[in-house]
Amino acid sequence: MRIFLLSLVWVSAARPGFVYTFYCLFINGRESMNNKPIKPYSAKQEKFGTWLINRIGRWQIRVYEWSGGRLWKNFMGAPVAILTTVGRKSGLERKVPLLYLMHGDSVVMTASKGGMSTLPVWYLNVKASPEVSIQVGAQKQRYRMREANAQEEAELWPKLEAMYPDYQQYRQRTADIRRIPVLIFDPVA
């Protein structure tokens, strides 16, 4: 399994389209490749998708931090940052690579979990303890999270979807299941 993941990391760095094709074929049910109607993931797809996201995320965190944010800093053309939270149950430091959008001095992220039916665990951790650390490139900074209000969401979603077009699909996939929160991280002085 480790060799498979290393191969996937190498291929994703050299040929990012491969990861998208892999995602479309095995997780996304080919819908984004042939324009079929978007429907929620099955339980089996969500289980595999969660497993895959967690495994690749661990490698991405190591590579990103080791390189000072120079390597694996993008996913499908969108910028990636490392969010560090405190586990709400364990009290331990937890890290996750996430897509982000700079909005002035603030960092904007979504709790999309790839359009799955449940909220990501990191979101629950941030809700419990809103002061976090975010690494963008080599720079780490402290932030405080707040959820975007309706007006801010209306302003930010088009920017987020322009940055990463699959967000449209994630929102369609979860439309009848849950709302995807937009989170704004403001710098802590």
Side-chain angles (χ1 to χ4, degrees):
M1 181 54 65
R2 191 167 283 186
I3 292 172
F4 168 75
L5 291 175
L6 284 172
S7 300
L8 192 58
V9 168
W10 178 80
V11 170
S12 69
R15 304 180 81 182
F18 169 80
V19 174
Y20 183 67
T21 302
F22 181 83
Y23 169 77
C24 290
L25 291 174
F26 295 101
I27 299 170
N28 207 14
R30 296 190 178 104
E31 292 157 353
S32 51
M33 291 184 74
N34 60 19
N35 296 323
K36 284 188 178 177
I38 306 298
K39 60 184 180 191
Y41 293 121
S42 68
K44 193 173 183 178
Q45 286 174 313
E46 287 201 9
K47 183 176 181 181
F48 178 71
T50 299
W51 177 85
L52 186 65
I53 289 168
N54 288 340
R55 296 309 177 279
I56 292 175
R58 288 181 193 155
W59 282 102
Q60 186 170 16
I61 292 165
R62 289 182 185 146
V63 170
Y64 192 101
E65 289 182 332
W66 173 79
S67 69
R70 290 186 310 275
L71 299 175
W72 219 346
K73 62 183 179 179
N74 292 306
F75 177 76
M76 303 300 296
V80 174
I82 305 298
L83 173 72
T84 304
T85 65
V86 175
R88 70 190 186 289
K89 294 180 181 176
S90 68
L92 300 174
E93 184 177 85
R94 303 291 185 201
K95 295 181 180 186
V96 62
L98 296 171
L99 303 182
Y100 74 95
L101 174 73
M102 291 304 297
H103 187 65
D105 290 337
S106 299
V107 176
V108 178
M109 296 177 169
T110 67
S112 66
K113 195 179 178 186
M116 294 185 201
S117 64
T118 58
L119 289 164
V121 173
W122 66 262
Y123 170 77
L124 303 174
N125 291 340
V126 172
K127 288 286 285 185
S129 180
E131 194 161 314
V132 301
S133 174
I134 298 176
Q135 179 180 348
V136 175
Q139 184 182 8
K140 292 181 185 177
Q141 191 172 344
R142 302 291 303 166
Y143 292 87
R144 178 170 295 280
M145 184 280 292
R146 64 184 176 84
E147 287 202 37
N149 61 38
Q151 182 180 359
E152 289 170 320
E153 277 194 20
E155 175 190 348
L156 291 169
W157 269 120
K159 294 176 183 179
L160 288 162
E161 290 171 353
M163 174 191 76
Y164 185 66
D166 281 359
Y167 278 143
Q168 283 182 319
Q169 187 181 95
Y170 296 171
R171 291 175 70 197
Q172 291 173 0
R173 191 175 298 283
T174 61
D176 296 331
I177 302 168
R178 71 174 178 96
R179 182 184 134 275
I180 296 176
V182 175
L183 309 176
I184 300 173
F185 295 87
D186 298 312
V188 173

Short mmCIF file of all heavy atoms in Angstrom, two decimals, residues 11-74:
data_model
loop_
_atom_site.label_atom_id
_atom_site.label_comp_id
_atom_site.label_asym_id
_atom_site.label_seq_id
_atom_site.Cartn_x
_atom_site.Cartn_y
_atom_site.Cartn_z
N VAL A 11 3.13 10.59 -9.22
CA VAL A 11 2.35 10.83 -10.42
C VAL A 11 1.56 12.12 -10.29
O VAL A 11 1.45 12.90 -11.24
CB VAL A 11 1.43 9.63 -10.73
CG1 VAL A 11 0.43 9.97 -11.82
CG2 VAL A 11 2.26 8.43 -11.12
N SER A 12 1.00 12.41 -9.10
CA SER A 12 0.20 13.62 -8.94
C SER A 12 1.06 14.87 -9.09
O SER A 12 0.59 15.88 -9.57
CB SER A 12 -0.52 13.63 -7.61
OG SER A 12 0.39 13.78 -6.54
N ALA A 13 2.31 14.79 -8.67
CA ALA A 13 3.21 15.94 -8.83
C ALA A 13 3.58 16.11 -10.30
O ALA A 13 3.64 17.23 -10.81
CB ALA A 13 4.45 15.76 -7.97
N ALA A 14 3.83 14.99 -10.98
CA ALA A 14 4.25 15.06 -12.38
C ALA A 14 3.08 15.27 -13.34
O ALA A 14 3.20 15.98 -14.32
CB ALA A 14 4.99 13.77 -12.75
N ARG A 15 1.93 14.63 -13.03
CA ARG A 15 0.78 14.68 -13.92
C ARG A 15 -0.49 14.84 -13.11
O ARG A 15 -1.17 13.87 -12.82
CB ARG A 15 0.72 13.42 -14.75
CG ARG A 15 2.01 13.18 -15.53
CD ARG A 15 1.93 11.95 -16.32
NE ARG A 15 1.19 12.28 -17.53
CZ ARG A 15 0.88 11.40 -18.45
NH1 ARG A 15 1.21 10.16 -18.33
NH2 ARG A 15 0.21 11.76 -19.51
N PRO A 16 -0.84 16.07 -12.71
CA PRO A 16 -2.01 16.26 -11.87
C PRO A 16 -3.32 15.77 -12.48
O PRO A 16 -4.24 15.40 -11.78
CB PRO A 16 -2.06 17.77 -11.62
CG PRO A 16 -0.96 18.37 -12.40
CD PRO A 16 -0.14 17.30 -13.01
N GLY A 17 -3.41 15.71 -13.80
CA GLY A 17 -4.61 15.21 -14.44
C GLY A 17 -4.89 13.75 -14.11
O GLY A 17 -6.02 13.30 -14.10
N PHE A 18 -3.83 12.99 -13.80
CA PHE A 18 -4.00 11.59 -13.43
C PHE A 18 -4.82 11.47 -12.15
O PHE A 18 -5.71 10.63 -12.05
CB PHE A 18 -2.64 10.92 -13.24
CG PHE A 18 -2.75 9.55 -12.61
CD1 PHE A 18 -3.09 8.46 -13.38
CD2 PHE A 18 -2.54 9.38 -11.26
CE1 PHE A 18 -3.22 7.20 -12.81
CE2 PHE A 18 -2.66 8.15 -10.68
CZ PHE A 18 -3.00 7.04 -11.45
N VAL A 19 -4.52 12.29 -11.17
CA VAL A 19 -5.25 12.23 -9.90
C VAL A 19 -6.71 12.56 -10.14
O VAL A 19 -7.61 11.90 -9.59
CB VAL A 19 -4.63 13.18 -8.85
CG1 VAL A 19 -5.48 13.21 -7.59
CG2 VAL A 19 -3.22 12.74 -8.52
N TYR A 20 -6.99 13.54 -10.98
CA TYR A 20 -8.37 13.90 -11.28
C TYR A 20 -9.09 12.74 -11.96
O TYR A 20 -10.22 12.40 -11.62
CB TYR A 20 -8.42 15.15 -12.14
CG TYR A 20 -9.83 15.62 -12.42
CD1 TYR A 20 -10.62 16.10 -11.38
CD2 TYR A 20 -10.38 15.54 -13.68
CE1 TYR A 20 -11.92 16.52 -11.62
CE2 TYR A 20 -11.66 15.95 -13.92
CZ TYR A 20 -12.43 16.45 -12.89
OH TYR A 20 -13.71 16.86 -13.12
N THR A 21 -8.42 12.09 -12.92
CA THR A 21 -9.02 10.94 -13.60
C THR A 21 -9.27 9.81 -12.60
O THR A 21 -10.34 9.20 -12.60
CB THR A 21 -8.09 10.45 -14.73
OG1 THR A 21 -7.88 11.53 -15.63
CG2 THR A 21 -8.70 9.27 -15.47
N PHE A 22 -8.30 9.55 -11.73
CA PHE A 22 -8.46 8.52 -10.69
C PHE A 22 -9.66 8.86 -9.81
O PHE A 22 -10.50 8.02 -9.53
CB PHE A 22 -7.18 8.46 -9.85
CG PHE A 22 -7.22 7.44 -8.76
CD1 PHE A 22 -6.93 6.11 -9.03
CD2 PHE A 22 -7.54 7.80 -7.47
CE1 PHE A 22 -6.97 5.16 -8.03
CE2 PHE A 22 -7.58 6.86 -6.46
CZ PHE A 22 -7.30 5.54 -6.74
N TYR A 23 -9.75 10.12 -9.40
CA TYR A 23 -10.86 10.59 -8.58
C TYR A 23 -12.19 10.38 -9.30
O TYR A 23 -13.14 9.85 -8.73
CB TYR A 23 -10.64 12.07 -8.24
CG TYR A 23 -11.81 12.76 -7.61
CD1 TYR A 23 -12.11 12.56 -6.28
CD2 TYR A 23 -12.61 13.61 -8.35
CE1 TYR A 23 -13.20 13.19 -5.70
CE2 TYR A 23 -13.68 14.25 -7.79
CZ TYR A 23 -13.96 14.04 -6.45
OH TYR A 23 -15.03 14.66 -5.89
N CYS A 24 -12.25 10.78 -10.55
CA CYS A 24 -13.50 10.64 -11.33
C CYS A 24 -13.91 9.19 -11.47
O CYS A 24 -15.08 8.85 -11.33
CB CYS A 24 -13.33 11.26 -12.71
SG CYS A 24 -13.21 13.05 -12.69
N LEU A 25 -12.95 8.31 -11.74
CA LEU A 25 -13.29 6.92 -11.99
C LEU A 25 -13.68 6.16 -10.73
O LEU A 25 -14.62 5.38 -10.74
CB LEU A 25 -12.11 6.21 -12.66
CG LEU A 25 -11.80 6.66 -14.09
CD1 LEU A 25 -10.52 6.00 -14.57
CD2 LEU A 25 -12.95 6.32 -15.01
N PHE A 26 -12.95 6.37 -9.65
CA PHE A 26 -13.13 5.51 -8.48
C PHE A 26 -13.92 6.14 -7.35
O PHE A 26 -14.50 5.43 -6.55
CB PHE A 26 -11.77 5.04 -7.97
CG PHE A 26 -11.08 4.16 -8.97
CD1 PHE A 26 -10.08 4.67 -9.77
CD2 PHE A 26 -11.48 2.86 -9.16
CE1 PHE A 26 -9.46 3.86 -10.71
CE2 PHE A 26 -10.86 2.05 -10.10
CZ PHE A 26 -9.84 2.56 -10.88
N ILE A 27 -13.92 7.43 -7.25
CA ILE A 27 -14.63 8.06 -6.15
C ILE A 27 -15.88 8.77 -6.65
O ILE A 27 -16.94 8.67 -6.08
CB ILE A 27 -13.71 9.08 -5.43
CG1 ILE A 27 -12.52 8.33 -4.86
CG2 ILE A 27 -14.46 9.81 -4.33
CD1 ILE A 27 -11.45 9.21 -4.35
N ASN A 28 -15.76 9.45 -7.73
CA ASN A 28 -16.82 10.31 -8.21
C ASN A 28 -17.80 9.59 -9.14
O ASN A 28 -18.69 10.22 -9.68
CB ASN A 28 -16.18 11.50 -8.93
CG ASN A 28 -17.05 12.71 -8.89
OD1 ASN A 28 -17.99 12.77 -8.13
ND2 ASN A 28 -16.73 13.67 -9.72
N GLY A 29 -17.62 8.31 -9.36
CA GLY A 29 -18.55 7.56 -10.18
C GLY A 29 -18.60 8.01 -11.62
O GLY A 29 -19.64 7.91 -12.25
N ARG A 30 -17.54 8.54 -12.16
CA ARG A 30 -17.41 8.98 -13.55
C ARG A 30 -18.33 10.14 -13.92
O ARG A 30 -18.37 10.56 -15.06
CB ARG A 30 -17.66 7.81 -14.51
CG ARG A 30 -16.66 6.73 -14.38
CD ARG A 30 -16.82 5.73 -15.53
NE ARG A 30 -15.82 4.72 -15.41
CZ ARG A 30 -16.06 3.49 -14.97
NH1 ARG A 30 -17.25 3.13 -14.61
NH2 ARG A 30 -15.09 2.62 -14.90
N GLU A 31 -19.09 10.68 -12.99
CA GLU A 31 -20.07 11.71 -13.33
C GLU A 31 -19.44 12.96 -13.91
O GLU A 31 -19.97 13.55 -14.83
CB GLU A 31 -20.90 12.06 -12.10
CG GLU A 31 -21.79 10.92 -11.68
CD GLU A 31 -22.19 10.99 -10.24
OE1 GLU A 31 -21.69 11.84 -9.51
OE2 GLU A 31 -23.01 10.15 -9.86
N SER A 32 -18.30 13.38 -13.35
CA SER A 32 -17.72 14.62 -13.85
C SER A 32 -17.03 14.42 -15.20
O SER A 32 -16.75 15.38 -15.87
CB SER A 32 -16.76 15.20 -12.83
OG SER A 32 -15.84 14.24 -12.42
N MET A 33 -16.76 13.17 -15.58
CA MET A 33 -16.11 12.94 -16.87
C MET A 33 -17.13 12.86 -18.00
O MET A 33 -16.81 13.16 -19.13
CB MET A 33 -15.28 11.66 -16.82
CG MET A 33 -14.07 11.80 -15.93
SD MET A 33 -13.04 10.36 -15.94
CE MET A 33 -12.27 10.51 -17.54
N ASN A 34 -18.36 12.44 -17.73
CA ASN A 34 -19.32 12.28 -18.82
C ASN A 34 -20.60 13.08 -18.62
O ASN A 34 -21.60 12.81 -19.26
CB ASN A 34 -19.62 10.80 -19.06
CG ASN A 34 -20.21 10.14 -17.84
OD1 ASN A 34 -20.72 10.82 -16.95
ND2 ASN A 34 -20.15 8.82 -17.79
N ASN A 35 -20.58 14.04 -17.73
CA ASN A 35 -21.68 14.99 -17.53
C ASN A 35 -23.02 14.36 -17.15
O ASN A 35 -24.06 14.85 -17.53
CB ASN A 35 -21.85 15.88 -18.76
CG ASN A 35 -20.63 16.74 -19.00
OD1 ASN A 35 -20.01 17.21 -18.05
ND2 ASN A 35 -20.26 16.91 -20.24
N LYS A 36 -23.00 13.25 -16.44
CA LYS A 36 -24.24 12.67 -15.92
C LYS A 36 -24.74 13.53 -14.77
O LYS A 36 -23.97 14.29 -14.18
CB LYS A 36 -24.00 11.24 -15.43
CG LYS A 36 -23.88 10.23 -16.53
CD LYS A 36 -23.85 8.84 -15.96
CE LYS A 36 -23.79 7.82 -17.07
NZ LYS A 36 -23.69 6.46 -16.54
N PRO A 37 -26.01 13.40 -14.42
CA PRO A 37 -26.53 14.17 -13.28
C PRO A 37 -25.76 13.86 -12.00
O PRO A 37 -25.35 12.72 -11.77
CB PRO A 37 -27.99 13.71 -13.16
CG PRO A 37 -28.31 13.00 -14.42
CD PRO A 37 -27.02 12.55 -15.03
N ILE A 38 -25.57 14.88 -11.20
CA ILE A 38 -24.85 14.74 -9.95
C ILE A 38 -25.78 14.14 -8.90
O ILE A 38 -26.88 14.61 -8.71
CB ILE A 38 -24.34 16.11 -9.46
CG1 ILE A 38 -23.52 16.81 -10.55
CG2 ILE A 38 -23.55 15.98 -8.18
CD1 ILE A 38 -22.29 16.09 -10.99
N LYS A 39 -25.31 13.11 -8.21
CA LYS A 39 -26.10 12.51 -7.14
C LYS A 39 -25.18 12.27 -5.95
O LYS A 39 -23.95 12.23 -6.10
CB LYS A 39 -26.76 11.22 -7.60
CG LYS A 39 -25.79 10.17 -8.07
CD LYS A 39 -26.52 8.96 -8.61
CE LYS A 39 -25.48 7.94 -9.06
NZ LYS A 39 -26.02 6.87 -9.82
N PRO A 40 -25.74 12.10 -4.76
CA PRO A 40 -24.90 11.87 -3.57
C PRO A 40 -24.07 10.60 -3.72
O PRO A 40 -24.43 9.66 -4.43
CB PRO A 40 -25.92 11.72 -2.44
CG PRO A 40 -27.13 12.42 -2.93
CD PRO A 40 -27.15 12.21 -4.43
N TYR A 41 -22.94 10.58 -3.03
CA TYR A 41 -22.10 9.39 -3.01
C TYR A 41 -22.79 8.26 -2.28
O TYR A 41 -23.58 8.49 -1.36
CB TYR A 41 -20.78 9.68 -2.27
CG TYR A 41 -19.86 10.65 -2.96
CD1 TYR A 41 -19.48 11.82 -2.32
CD2 TYR A 41 -19.34 10.38 -4.22
CE1 TYR A 41 -18.61 12.71 -2.93
CE2 TYR A 41 -18.48 11.26 -4.83
CZ TYR A 41 -18.11 12.42 -4.18
OH TYR A 41 -17.26 13.30 -4.79
N SER A 42 -22.44 7.04 -2.64
CA SER A 42 -22.92 5.87 -1.89
C SER A 42 -22.07 5.75 -0.62
O SER A 42 -20.99 6.35 -0.52
CB SER A 42 -22.78 4.61 -2.74
OG SER A 42 -21.41 4.29 -2.92
N ALA A 43 -22.52 4.94 0.32
CA ALA A 43 -21.76 4.72 1.56
C ALA A 43 -20.39 4.13 1.24
O ALA A 43 -19.38 4.50 1.86
CB ALA A 43 -22.54 3.81 2.50
N LYS A 44 -20.33 3.25 0.27
CA LYS A 44 -19.06 2.62 -0.13
C LYS A 44 -18.10 3.66 -0.73
O LYS A 44 -16.91 3.67 -0.43
CB LYS A 44 -19.35 1.50 -1.12
CG LYS A 44 -18.19 0.59 -1.38
CD LYS A 44 -18.65 -0.57 -2.26
CE LYS A 44 -17.51 -1.54 -2.47
NZ LYS A 44 -17.92 -2.69 -3.28
N GLN A 45 -18.62 4.54 -1.59
CA GLN A 45 -17.79 5.59 -2.17
C GLN A 45 -17.27 6.52 -1.08
O GLN A 45 -16.11 6.94 -1.12
CB GLN A 45 -18.59 6.39 -3.20
CG GLN A 45 -18.83 5.68 -4.50
CD GLN A 45 -19.74 6.48 -5.41
OE1 GLN A 45 -20.78 6.98 -4.98
NE2 GLN A 45 -19.36 6.60 -6.67
N GLU A 46 -18.12 6.88 -0.12
CA GLU A 46 -17.69 7.78 0.95
C GLU A 46 -16.63 7.13 1.83
O GLU A 46 -15.67 7.78 2.24
CB GLU A 46 -18.88 8.24 1.79
CG GLU A 46 -19.72 9.24 1.04
CD GLU A 46 -20.58 10.10 1.94
OE1 GLU A 46 -20.42 10.06 3.18
OE2 GLU A 46 -21.40 10.85 1.40
N LYS A 47 -16.78 5.84 2.11
CA LYS A 47 -15.79 5.15 2.93
C LYS A 47 -14.43 5.13 2.23
O LYS A 47 -13.41 5.45 2.83
CB LYS A 47 -16.26 3.72 3.23
CG LYS A 47 -15.34 2.96 4.14
CD LYS A 47 -15.90 1.59 4.48
CE LYS A 47 -14.95 0.86 5.42
NZ LYS A 47 -15.44 -0.47 5.76
N PHE A 48 -14.43 4.77 0.95
CA PHE A 48 -13.18 4.75 0.20
C PHE A 48 -12.61 6.15 0.02
O PHE A 48 -11.41 6.37 0.18
CB PHE A 48 -13.38 4.09 -1.17
CG PHE A 48 -12.13 4.07 -1.99
CD1 PHE A 48 -11.07 3.24 -1.66
CD2 PHE A 48 -11.99 4.91 -3.09
CE1 PHE A 48 -9.90 3.24 -2.41
CE2 PHE A 48 -10.83 4.92 -3.85
CZ PHE A 48 -9.78 4.07 -3.51
N GLY A 49 -13.48 7.11 -0.29
CA GLY A 49 -13.03 8.49 -0.47
C GLY A 49 -12.40 9.06 0.79
O GLY A 49 -11.36 9.72 0.73
N THR A 50 -13.01 8.80 1.94
CA THR A 50 -12.46 9.26 3.22
C THR A 50 -11.10 8.62 3.46
O THR A 50 -10.14 9.29 3.85
CB THR A 50 -13.43 8.95 4.37
OG1 THR A 50 -14.65 9.64 4.11
CG2 THR A 50 -12.86 9.39 5.70
N TRP A 51 -11.00 7.32 3.21
CA TRP A 51 -9.73 6.61 3.39
C TRP A 51 -8.66 7.22 2.50
O TRP A 51 -7.55 7.50 2.95
CB TRP A 51 -9.93 5.13 3.07
CG TRP A 51 -8.67 4.33 3.16
CD1 TRP A 51 -8.13 3.77 4.27
CD2 TRP A 51 -7.77 4.05 2.08
NE1 TRP A 51 -6.96 3.13 3.94
CE2 TRP A 51 -6.72 3.29 2.61
CE3 TRP A 51 -7.77 4.35 0.72
CZ2 TRP A 51 -5.66 2.83 1.83
CZ3 TRP A 51 -6.71 3.91 -0.06
CH2 TRP A 51 -5.68 3.15 0.50
N LEU A 52 -8.99 7.43 1.22
CA LEU A 52 -8.03 7.96 0.26
C LEU A 52 -7.61 9.39 0.62
O LEU A 52 -6.41 9.71 0.61
CB LEU A 52 -8.62 7.93 -1.15
CG LEU A 52 -7.68 8.33 -2.28
CD1 LEU A 52 -6.54 7.32 -2.39
CD2 LEU A 52 -8.44 8.40 -3.59
N ILE A 53 -8.56 10.23 0.97
CA ILE A 53 -8.25 11.61 1.35
C ILE A 53 -7.32 11.63 2.56
O ILE A 53 -6.35 12.40 2.61
CB ILE A 53 -9.55 12.41 1.63
CG1 ILE A 53 -10.30 12.68 0.33
CG2 ILE A 53 -9.25 13.71 2.37
CD1 ILE A 53 -11.71 13.19 0.52
N ASN A 54 -7.60 10.78 3.55
CA ASN A 54 -6.76 10.74 4.76
C ASN A 54 -5.35 10.28 4.44
O ASN A 54 -4.37 10.85 4.94
CB ASN A 54 -7.39 9.83 5.81
CG ASN A 54 -8.62 10.45 6.43
OD1 ASN A 54 -8.84 11.65 6.37
ND2 ASN A 54 -9.46 9.61 7.02
N ARG A 55 -5.20 9.23 3.63
CA ARG A 55 -3.87 8.71 3.32
C ARG A 55 -3.07 9.71 2.49
O ARG A 55 -1.91 9.99 2.79
CB ARG A 55 -3.96 7.38 2.57
CG ARG A 55 -4.57 6.23 3.34
CD ARG A 55 -3.92 6.04 4.71
NE ARG A 55 -4.54 5.00 5.49
CZ ARG A 55 -5.64 5.10 6.22
NH1 ARG A 55 -6.34 6.22 6.24
NH2 ARG A 55 -6.08 4.10 6.94
N ILE A 56 -3.66 10.23 1.45
CA ILE A 56 -2.94 11.19 0.61
C ILE A 56 -2.65 12.46 1.40
O ILE A 56 -1.58 13.05 1.28
CB ILE A 56 -3.71 11.47 -0.68
CG1 ILE A 56 -3.72 10.22 -1.56
CG2 ILE A 56 -3.10 12.65 -1.45
CD1 ILE A 56 -4.55 10.32 -2.81
N GLY A 57 -3.60 12.87 2.24
CA GLY A 57 -3.40 14.07 3.07
C GLY A 57 -2.19 13.96 3.98
O GLY A 57 -1.44 14.92 4.15
N ARG A 58 -1.99 12.79 4.57
CA ARG A 58 -0.82 12.59 5.45
C ARG A 58 0.47 12.79 4.68
O ARG A 58 1.41 13.43 5.18
CB ARG A 58 -0.85 11.19 6.06
CG ARG A 58 -1.90 11.03 7.11
CD ARG A 58 -1.86 9.63 7.69
NE ARG A 58 -3.07 9.40 8.47
CZ ARG A 58 -3.56 8.22 8.71
NH1 ARG A 58 -2.98 7.14 8.26
NH2 ARG A 58 -4.66 8.09 9.43
N TRP A 59 0.54 12.23 3.47
CA TRP A 59 1.74 12.40 2.66
C TRP A 59 1.90 13.85 2.24
O TRP A 59 3.01 14.40 2.25
CB TRP A 59 1.67 11.50 1.42
CG TRP A 59 2.00 10.08 1.76
CD1 TRP A 59 1.14 9.05 1.93
CD2 TRP A 59 3.30 9.55 1.99
NE1 TRP A 59 1.82 7.91 2.26
CE2 TRP A 59 3.16 8.19 2.30
CE3 TRP A 59 4.58 10.10 1.96
CZ2 TRP A 59 4.24 7.36 2.57
CZ3 TRP A 59 5.66 9.27 2.24
CH2 TRP A 59 5.48 7.93 2.53
N GLN A 60 0.80 14.49 1.87
CA GLN A 60 0.88 15.87 1.42
C GLN A 60 1.38 16.77 2.54
O GLN A 60 2.18 17.67 2.31
CB GLN A 60 -0.47 16.35 0.91
CG GLN A 60 -0.39 17.74 0.30
CD GLN A 60 -1.66 18.13 -0.41
OE1 GLN A 60 -2.71 17.53 -0.23
NE2 GLN A 60 -1.57 19.15 -1.24
N ILE A 61 0.93 16.55 3.76
CA ILE A 61 1.39 17.35 4.90
C ILE A 61 2.89 17.21 5.07
O ILE A 61 3.61 18.20 5.23
CB ILE A 61 0.64 16.95 6.19
CG1 ILE A 61 -0.82 17.37 6.10
CG2 ILE A 61 1.31 17.57 7.42
CD1 ILE A 61 -1.71 16.70 7.14
N ARG A 62 3.39 15.97 5.02
CA ARG A 62 4.83 15.73 5.20
C ARG A 62 5.64 16.43 4.11
O ARG A 62 6.64 17.09 4.40
CB ARG A 62 5.12 14.24 5.19
CG ARG A 62 4.63 13.54 6.43
CD ARG A 62 4.98 12.07 6.39
NE ARG A 62 4.39 11.40 7.53
CZ ARG A 62 3.93 10.17 7.50
NH1 ARG A 62 3.99 9.46 6.40
NH2 ARG A 62 3.41 9.62 8.58
N VAL A 63 5.23 16.26 2.87
CA VAL A 63 5.96 16.86 1.75
C VAL A 63 5.90 18.38 1.82
O VAL A 63 6.91 19.06 1.65
CB VAL A 63 5.40 16.34 0.40
CG1 VAL A 63 5.97 17.12 -0.78
CG2 VAL A 63 5.67 14.85 0.24
N TYR A 64 4.73 18.91 2.09
CA TYR A 64 4.52 20.37 2.16
C TYR A 64 5.39 20.97 3.26
O TYR A 64 6.09 21.96 3.04
CB TYR A 64 3.04 20.63 2.43
CG TYR A 64 2.59 22.06 2.25
CD1 TYR A 64 1.93 22.45 1.10
CD2 TYR A 64 2.77 23.02 3.24
CE1 TYR A 64 1.47 23.74 0.93
CE2 TYR A 64 2.31 24.31 3.08
CZ TYR A 64 1.67 24.67 1.93
OH TYR A 64 1.22 25.96 1.78
N GLU A 65 5.34 20.39 4.44
CA GLU A 65 6.14 20.93 5.56
C GLU A 65 7.62 20.74 5.34
O GLU A 65 8.42 21.63 5.62
CB GLU A 65 5.70 20.29 6.88
CG GLU A 65 4.33 20.73 7.32
CD GLU A 65 3.88 20.15 8.64
OE1 GLU A 65 4.33 19.03 9.00
OE2 GLU A 65 3.10 20.82 9.33
N TRP A 66 8.02 19.57 4.83
CA TRP A 66 9.42 19.30 4.59
C TRP A 66 10.02 20.29 3.59
O TRP A 66 11.15 20.72 3.74
CB TRP A 66 9.58 17.86 4.07
CG TRP A 66 10.97 17.54 3.63
CD1 TRP A 66 12.03 17.23 4.40
CD2 TRP A 66 11.43 17.53 2.28
NE1 TRP A 66 13.14 17.01 3.63
CE2 TRP A 66 12.80 17.20 2.32
CE3 TRP A 66 10.83 17.77 1.05
CZ2 TRP A 66 13.57 17.09 1.16
CZ3 TRP A 66 11.60 17.67 -0.10
CH2 TRP A 66 12.96 17.33 -0.03
N SER A 67 9.22 20.66 2.59
CA SER A 67 9.72 21.56 1.54
C SER A 67 9.46 23.03 1.84
O SER A 67 9.75 23.88 1.00
CB SER A 67 9.08 21.19 0.19
OG SER A 67 7.71 21.52 0.20
N GLY A 68 8.92 23.33 3.00
CA GLY A 68 8.60 24.72 3.32
C GLY A 68 7.50 25.27 2.42
O GLY A 68 7.47 26.46 2.11
N GLY A 69 6.58 24.39 2.00
CA GLY A 69 5.46 24.82 1.18
C GLY A 69 5.78 25.00 -0.29
O GLY A 69 4.95 25.51 -1.04
N ARG A 70 6.96 24.55 -0.74
CA ARG A 70 7.32 24.69 -2.16
C ARG A 70 6.78 23.54 -3.01
O ARG A 70 6.51 23.72 -4.18
CB ARG A 70 8.84 24.78 -2.30
CG ARG A 70 9.43 26.08 -1.77
CD ARG A 70 10.92 26.20 -2.08
NE ARG A 70 11.69 25.04 -1.71
CZ ARG A 70 12.20 24.80 -0.49
NH1 ARG A 70 12.00 25.67 0.48
NH2 ARG A 70 12.90 23.72 -0.26
N LEU A 71 6.64 22.35 -2.39
CA LEU A 71 6.15 21.18 -3.12
C LEU A 71 4.74 20.84 -2.67
O LEU A 71 4.39 21.00 -1.50
CB LEU A 71 7.07 19.98 -2.88
CG LEU A 71 8.51 20.14 -3.34
CD1 LEU A 71 9.33 18.92 -2.93
CD2 LEU A 71 8.58 20.35 -4.85
N TRP A 72 3.96 20.34 -3.61
CA TRP A 72 2.59 19.92 -3.39
C TRP A 72 1.75 21.05 -2.79
O TRP A 72 0.92 20.85 -1.92
CB TRP A 72 2.52 18.68 -2.51
CG TRP A 72 1.48 17.71 -2.95
CD1 TRP A 72 0.46 17.94 -3.83
CD2 TRP A 72 1.34 16.36 -2.54
NE1 TRP A 72 -0.30 16.81 -3.98
CE2 TRP A 72 0.22 15.83 -3.20
CE3 TRP A 72 2.05 15.55 -1.67
CZ2 TRP A 72 -0.21 14.52 -3.01
CZ3 TRP A 72 1.62 14.26 -1.49
CH2 TRP A 72 0.51 13.76 -2.15
N LYS A 73 1.99 22.25 -3.31
CA LYS A 73 1.31 23.44 -2.82
C LYS A 73 0.03 23.74 -3.59
O LYS A 73 -0.67 24.70 -3.29
CB LYS A 73 2.24 24.65 -2.88
CG LYS A 73 2.70 24.99 -4.28
CD LYS A 73 3.67 26.14 -4.27
CE LYS A 73 4.13 26.44 -5.68
NZ LYS A 73 5.05 27.55 -5.70
N ASN A 74 -0.29 22.91 -4.60
CA ASN A 74 -1.51 23.08 -5.40
C ASN A 74 -2.20 21.74 -5.56
O ASN A 74 -1.56 20.69 -5.55
CB ASN A 74 -1.18 23.63 -6.79
CG ASN A 74 -0.70 25.04 -6.74
OD1 ASN A 74 -1.35 25.91 -6.18
ND2 ASN A 74 0.47 25.29 -7.31
#
